[in-house]
Amino acid sequence: MEVKGVDFIWTIASDVDETARFYRDVLGLPTTGIQDDDWREFQAGATTLAVTPAHVGLHPPRVLMALAVDDVDAALQEAREAGATVLHETRDTPACLNAMIADPDGNPIWLHQRHDGTAG
């Protein structure tokens, strides 16, 4: 098998409407146009994020995403002002700056800025 890339990230939400509002309004992710009761899609750079309710047989997983941003501190402040829960403030590592927020279901989301300026 040859994996060509990631087609989408899928997260299960206890309240799809609330979680969709978070990704749209707090993080500012545009929708892809695919929006219905059981599937909401958002564009995060070259990656699609799908938000769905729990499906039969699936236990809600924890998903961690690292979203590339140009300025972690500014992104964290913007998320905080929009009502996001902050899990940790900006940290400086040898490779990156990062901060962590949570979506309405507590799934952690890294706001991530590589020191070399790359993303993806």
mmCIF file of all heavy atoms in Angstrom, residues 36-64:
data_model
loop_
_atom_site.group_PDB
_atom_site.id
_atom_site.type_symbol
_atom_site.label_atom_id
_atom_site.label_comp_id
_atom_site.label_asym_id
_atom_site.label_seq_id
_atom_site.Cartn_x
_atom_site.Cartn_y
_atom_site.Cartn_z
ATOM 1 N N ASP A 36 -24.536 18.564 6.123
ATOM 2 C CA ASP A 36 -25.870 18.021 6.366
ATOM 3 C C ASP A 36 -25.960 17.586 7.823
ATOM 4 O O ASP A 36 -25.051 17.872 8.605
ATOM 5 C CB ASP A 36 -26.214 16.894 5.388
ATOM 6 C CG ASP A 36 -25.309 15.678 5.490
ATOM 7 O OD1 ASP A 36 -24.817 15.370 6.607
ATOM 8 O OD2 ASP A 36 -25.095 15.009 4.476
ATOM 9 N N ASP A 37 -27.030 16.926 8.201
ATOM 10 C CA ASP A 37 -27.223 16.559 9.606
ATOM 11 C C ASP A 37 -26.144 15.622 10.134
ATOM 12 O O ASP A 37 -25.830 15.640 11.317
ATOM 13 C CB ASP A 37 -28.590 15.906 9.812
ATOM 14 C CG ASP A 37 -29.718 16.913 9.646
ATOM 15 O OD1 ASP A 37 -29.448 18.128 9.761
ATOM 16 O OD2 ASP A 37 -30.852 16.483 9.406
ATOM 17 N N ASP A 38 -25.578 14.785 9.272
ATOM 18 C CA ASP A 38 -24.629 13.762 9.709
ATOM 19 C C ASP A 38 -23.185 14.017 9.289
ATOM 20 O O ASP A 38 -22.312 13.212 9.605
ATOM 21 C CB ASP A 38 -25.048 12.385 9.175
ATOM 22 C CG ASP A 38 -26.309 11.884 9.842
ATOM 23 O OD1 ASP A 38 -26.507 12.203 11.031
ATOM 24 O OD2 ASP A 38 -27.102 11.203 9.182
ATOM 25 N N TRP A 39 -22.928 15.095 8.569
ATOM 26 C CA TRP A 39 -21.563 15.314 8.077
ATOM 27 C C TRP A 39 -21.369 16.793 7.806
ATOM 28 O O TRP A 39 -22.096 17.391 7.021
ATOM 29 C CB TRP A 39 -21.351 14.519 6.794
ATOM 30 C CG TRP A 39 -19.929 14.405 6.351
ATOM 31 C CD1 TRP A 39 -19.258 15.257 5.519
ATOM 32 C CD2 TRP A 39 -19.005 13.378 6.695
ATOM 33 N NE1 TRP A 39 -17.973 14.828 5.319
ATOM 34 C CE2 TRP A 39 -17.790 13.667 6.037
ATOM 35 C CE3 TRP A 39 -19.071 12.254 7.515
ATOM 36 C CZ2 TRP A 39 -16.659 12.862 6.164
ATOM 37 C CZ3 TRP A 39 -17.951 11.456 7.623
ATOM 38 C CH2 TRP A 39 -16.765 11.755 6.956
ATOM 39 N N ARG A 40 -20.379 17.397 8.450
ATOM 40 C CA ARG A 40 -20.018 18.800 8.204
ATOM 41 C C ARG A 40 -18.540 18.819 7.840
ATOM 42 O O ARG A 40 -17.737 18.198 8.524
ATOM 43 C CB ARG A 40 -20.227 19.665 9.448
ATOM 44 C CG ARG A 40 -21.542 19.479 10.157
ATOM 45 C CD ARG A 40 -22.694 20.185 9.442
ATOM 46 N NE ARG A 40 -23.943 19.875 10.092
ATOM 47 C CZ ARG A 40 -24.464 20.554 11.092
ATOM 48 N NH1 ARG A 40 -23.838 21.608 11.584
ATOM 49 N NH2 ARG A 40 -25.619 20.193 11.605
ATOM 50 N N GLU A 41 -18.194 19.491 6.781
ATOM 51 C CA GLU A 41 -16.796 19.566 6.371
ATOM 52 C C GLU A 41 -16.292 20.997 6.424
ATOM 53 O O GLU A 41 -16.992 21.938 6.068
ATOM 54 C CB GLU A 41 -16.606 19.034 4.941
ATOM 55 C CG GLU A 41 -16.608 17.550 4.858
ATOM 56 C CD GLU A 41 -16.190 17.047 3.491
ATOM 57 O OE1 GLU A 41 -15.829 17.860 2.591
ATOM 58 O OE2 GLU A 41 -16.228 15.819 3.312
ATOM 59 N N PHE A 42 -15.014 21.114 6.818
ATOM 60 C CA PHE A 42 -14.317 22.384 6.900
ATOM 61 C C PHE A 42 -12.966 22.247 6.221
ATOM 62 O O PHE A 42 -12.362 21.179 6.233
ATOM 63 C CB PHE A 42 -14.124 22.792 8.367
ATOM 64 C CG PHE A 42 -15.433 22.948 9.074
ATOM 65 C CD1 PHE A 42 -16.021 21.865 9.709
ATOM 66 C CD2 PHE A 42 -16.092 24.161 9.069
ATOM 67 C CE1 PHE A 42 -17.245 21.992 10.332
ATOM 68 C CE2 PHE A 42 -17.317 24.291 9.688
ATOM 69 C CZ PHE A 42 -17.896 23.210 10.324
ATOM 70 N N GLN A 43 -12.487 23.345 5.644
ATOM 71 C CA GLN A 43 -11.189 23.340 4.990
ATOM 72 C C GLN A 43 -10.156 23.948 5.916
ATOM 73 O O GLN A 43 -10.329 25.064 6.394
ATOM 74 C CB GLN A 43 -11.249 24.124 3.681
ATOM 75 C CG GLN A 43 -10.171 23.743 2.715
ATOM 76 C CD GLN A 43 -10.258 22.282 2.303
ATOM 77 O OE1 GLN A 43 -11.322 21.783 1.967
ATOM 78 N NE2 GLN A 43 -9.138 21.595 2.352
ATOM 79 N N ALA A 44 -9.089 23.206 6.191
ATOM 80 C CA ALA A 44 -7.974 23.681 7.022
ATOM 81 C C ALA A 44 -6.723 23.578 6.171
ATOM 82 O O ALA A 44 -6.027 22.560 6.190
ATOM 83 C CB ALA A 44 -7.855 22.845 8.293
ATOM 84 N N GLY A 45 -6.459 24.600 5.384
ATOM 85 C CA GLY A 45 -5.347 24.524 4.435
ATOM 86 C C GLY A 45 -5.654 23.456 3.404
ATOM 87 O O GLY A 45 -6.725 23.421 2.820
ATOM 88 N N ALA A 46 -4.725 22.525 3.216
ATOM 89 C CA ALA A 46 -4.902 21.455 2.239
ATOM 90 C C ALA A 46 -5.641 20.252 2.811
ATOM 91 O O ALA A 46 -5.850 19.268 2.119
ATOM 92 C CB ALA A 46 -3.534 21.018 1.709
ATOM 93 N N THR A 47 -6.054 20.318 4.071
ATOM 94 C CA THR A 47 -6.703 19.189 4.733
ATOM 95 C C THR A 47 -8.162 19.503 5.019
ATOM 96 O O THR A 47 -8.501 20.622 5.386
ATOM 97 C CB THR A 47 -5.980 18.860 6.059
ATOM 98 O OG1 THR A 47 -4.613 18.589 5.772
ATOM 99 C CG2 THR A 47 -6.589 17.663 6.743
ATOM 100 N N THR A 48 -9.003 18.499 4.871
ATOM 101 C CA THR A 48 -10.417 18.633 5.192
ATOM 102 C C THR A 48 -10.662 18.057 6.581
ATOM 103 O O THR A 48 -10.125 17.009 6.926
ATOM 104 C CB THR A 48 -11.276 17.874 4.152
ATOM 105 O OG1 THR A 48 -11.051 18.454 2.875
ATOM 106 C CG2 THR A 48 -12.749 17.938 4.494
ATOM 107 N N LEU A 49 -11.476 18.745 7.358
ATOM 108 C CA LEU A 49 -11.903 18.260 8.670
ATOM 109 C C LEU A 49 -13.378 17.916 8.572
ATOM 110 O O LEU A 49 -14.191 18.753 8.185
ATOM 111 C CB LEU A 49 -11.697 19.337 9.743
ATOM 112 C CG LEU A 49 -12.349 19.051 11.095
ATOM 113 C CD1 LEU A 49 -11.698 17.849 11.765
ATOM 114 C CD2 LEU A 49 -12.281 20.270 11.979
ATOM 115 N N ALA A 50 -13.731 16.668 8.915
ATOM 116 C CA ALA A 50 -15.127 16.237 8.930
ATOM 117 C C ALA A 50 -15.581 16.112 10.373
ATOM 118 O O ALA A 50 -14.874 15.563 11.212
ATOM 119 C CB ALA A 50 -15.270 14.894 8.224
ATOM 120 N N VAL A 51 -16.777 16.634 10.659
ATOM 121 C CA VAL A 51 -17.377 16.556 11.990
ATOM 122 C C VAL A 51 -18.683 15.792 11.846
ATOM 123 O O VAL A 51 -19.523 16.143 11.015
ATOM 124 C CB VAL A 51 -17.652 17.964 12.563
ATOM 125 C CG1 VAL A 51 -18.337 17.873 13.916
ATOM 126 C CG2 VAL A 51 -16.367 18.769 12.651
ATOM 127 N N THR A 52 -18.848 14.720 12.655
ATOM 128 C CA THR A 52 -20.060 13.910 12.586
ATOM 129 C C THR A 52 -20.531 13.554 13.988
ATOM 130 O O THR A 52 -19.759 13.611 14.941
ATOM 131 C CB THR A 52 -19.816 12.584 11.831
ATOM 132 O OG1 THR A 52 -18.972 11.742 12.608
ATOM 133 C CG2 THR A 52 -19.209 12.823 10.470
ATOM 134 N N PRO A 53 -21.810 13.151 14.094
ATOM 135 C CA PRO A 53 -22.259 12.613 15.380
ATOM 136 C C PRO A 53 -21.700 11.202 15.545
ATOM 137 O O PRO A 53 -21.202 10.606 14.582
ATOM 138 C CB PRO A 53 -23.782 12.593 15.238
ATOM 139 C CG PRO A 53 -24.029 12.479 13.774
ATOM 140 C CD PRO A 53 -22.886 13.201 13.108
ATOM 141 N N ALA A 54 -21.801 10.658 16.756
ATOM 142 C CA ALA A 54 -21.373 9.276 16.988
ATOM 143 C C ALA A 54 -22.234 8.351 16.137
ATOM 144 O O ALA A 54 -23.441 8.525 16.046
ATOM 145 C CB ALA A 54 -21.497 8.926 18.466
ATOM 146 N N HIS A 55 -21.598 7.410 15.502
ATOM 147 C CA HIS A 55 -22.298 6.432 14.684
ATOM 148 C C HIS A 55 -22.368 5.101 15.425
ATOM 149 O O HIS A 55 -21.549 4.831 16.301
ATOM 150 C CB HIS A 55 -21.578 6.242 13.346
ATOM 151 C CG HIS A 55 -21.709 7.420 12.441
ATOM 152 N ND1 HIS A 55 -21.029 8.599 12.642
ATOM 153 C CD2 HIS A 55 -22.460 7.614 11.334
ATOM 154 C CE1 HIS A 55 -21.344 9.460 11.689
ATOM 155 N NE2 HIS A 55 -22.205 8.885 10.893
ATOM 156 N N VAL A 56 -23.324 4.277 15.052
ATOM 157 C CA VAL A 56 -23.492 2.974 15.694
ATOM 158 C C VAL A 56 -22.180 2.196 15.642
ATOM 159 O O VAL A 56 -21.540 2.100 14.592
ATOM 160 C CB VAL A 56 -24.610 2.177 14.990
ATOM 161 C CG1 VAL A 56 -24.713 0.777 15.571
ATOM 162 C CG2 VAL A 56 -25.928 2.909 15.106
ATOM 163 N N GLY A 57 -21.761 1.702 16.788
ATOM 164 C CA GLY A 57 -20.563 0.883 16.853
ATOM 165 C C GLY A 57 -19.283 1.651 17.073
ATOM 166 O O GLY A 57 -18.242 1.056 17.290
ATOM 167 N N LEU A 58 -19.338 2.974 16.980
ATOM 168 C CA LEU A 58 -18.137 3.770 17.187
ATOM 169 C C LEU A 58 -18.174 4.413 18.560
ATOM 170 O O LEU A 58 -19.186 4.965 18.973
ATOM 171 C CB LEU A 58 -18.014 4.878 16.133
ATOM 172 C CG LEU A 58 -17.736 4.435 14.714
ATOM 173 C CD1 LEU A 58 -17.720 5.655 13.791
ATOM 174 C CD2 LEU A 58 -16.407 3.711 14.619
ATOM 175 N N HIS A 59 -17.084 4.324 19.267
ATOM 176 C CA HIS A 59 -16.957 5.017 20.539
ATOM 177 C C HIS A 59 -16.270 6.345 20.256
ATOM 178 O O HIS A 59 -15.310 6.384 19.504
ATOM 179 C CB HIS A 59 -16.123 4.185 21.518
ATOM 180 C CG HIS A 59 -16.729 2.852 21.784
ATOM 181 N ND1 HIS A 59 -17.825 2.684 22.590
ATOM 182 C CD2 HIS A 59 -16.411 1.626 21.319
ATOM 183 C CE1 HIS A 59 -18.143 1.408 22.623
ATOM 184 N NE2 HIS A 59 -17.313 0.741 21.860
ATOM 185 N N PRO A 60 -16.747 7.418 20.841
ATOM 186 C CA PRO A 60 -16.123 8.712 20.541
ATOM 187 C C PRO A 60 -14.624 8.712 20.854
ATOM 188 O O PRO A 60 -14.230 8.509 21.994
ATOM 189 C CB PRO A 60 -16.874 9.693 21.445
ATOM 190 C CG PRO A 60 -18.192 9.029 21.705
ATOM 191 C CD PRO A 60 -17.883 7.557 21.723
ATOM 192 N N PRO A 61 -13.801 8.885 19.832
ATOM 193 C CA PRO A 61 -12.346 8.934 20.065
ATOM 194 C C PRO A 61 -11.917 10.338 20.447
ATOM 195 O O PRO A 61 -12.675 11.293 20.310
ATOM 196 C CB PRO A 61 -11.772 8.571 18.699
ATOM 197 C CG PRO A 61 -12.772 9.149 17.741
ATOM 198 C CD PRO A 61 -14.120 8.977 18.422
ATOM 199 N N ARG A 62 -10.698 10.463 20.925
ATOM 200 C CA ARG A 62 -10.088 11.770 21.109
ATOM 201 C C ARG A 62 -9.226 11.988 19.878
ATOM 202 O O ARG A 62 -8.515 11.103 19.444
ATOM 203 C CB ARG A 62 -9.255 11.803 22.376
ATOM 204 C CG ARG A 62 -10.165 11.514 23.545
ATOM 205 C CD ARG A 62 -10.020 12.173 24.827
ATOM 206 N NE ARG A 62 -9.488 13.408 25.150
ATOM 207 C CZ ARG A 62 -10.236 14.495 25.385
ATOM 208 N NH1 ARG A 62 -11.514 14.475 25.168
ATOM 209 N NH2 ARG A 62 -9.674 15.577 25.827
ATOM 210 N N VAL A 63 -9.362 13.147 19.320
ATOM 211 C CA VAL A 63 -8.607 13.495 18.132
ATOM 212 C C VAL A 63 -7.715 14.665 18.495
ATOM 213 O O VAL A 63 -8.149 15.591 19.168
ATOM 214 C CB VAL A 63 -9.558 13.910 16.986
ATOM 215 C CG1 VAL A 63 -8.778 14.423 15.796
ATOM 216 C CG2 VAL A 63 -10.440 12.743 16.580
ATOM 217 N N LEU A 64 -6.467 14.622 18.097
ATOM 218 C CA LEU A 64 -5.597 15.767 18.273
ATOM 219 C C LEU A 64 -5.150 16.229 16.907
ATOM 220 O O LEU A 64 -4.667 15.424 16.116
ATOM 221 C CB LEU A 64 -4.374 15.429 19.121
ATOM 222 C CG LEU A 64 -3.569 16.665 19.513
ATOM 223 C CD1 LEU A 64 -2.993 16.514 20.896
ATOM 224 C CD2 LEU A 64 -2.510 17.002 18.510
#
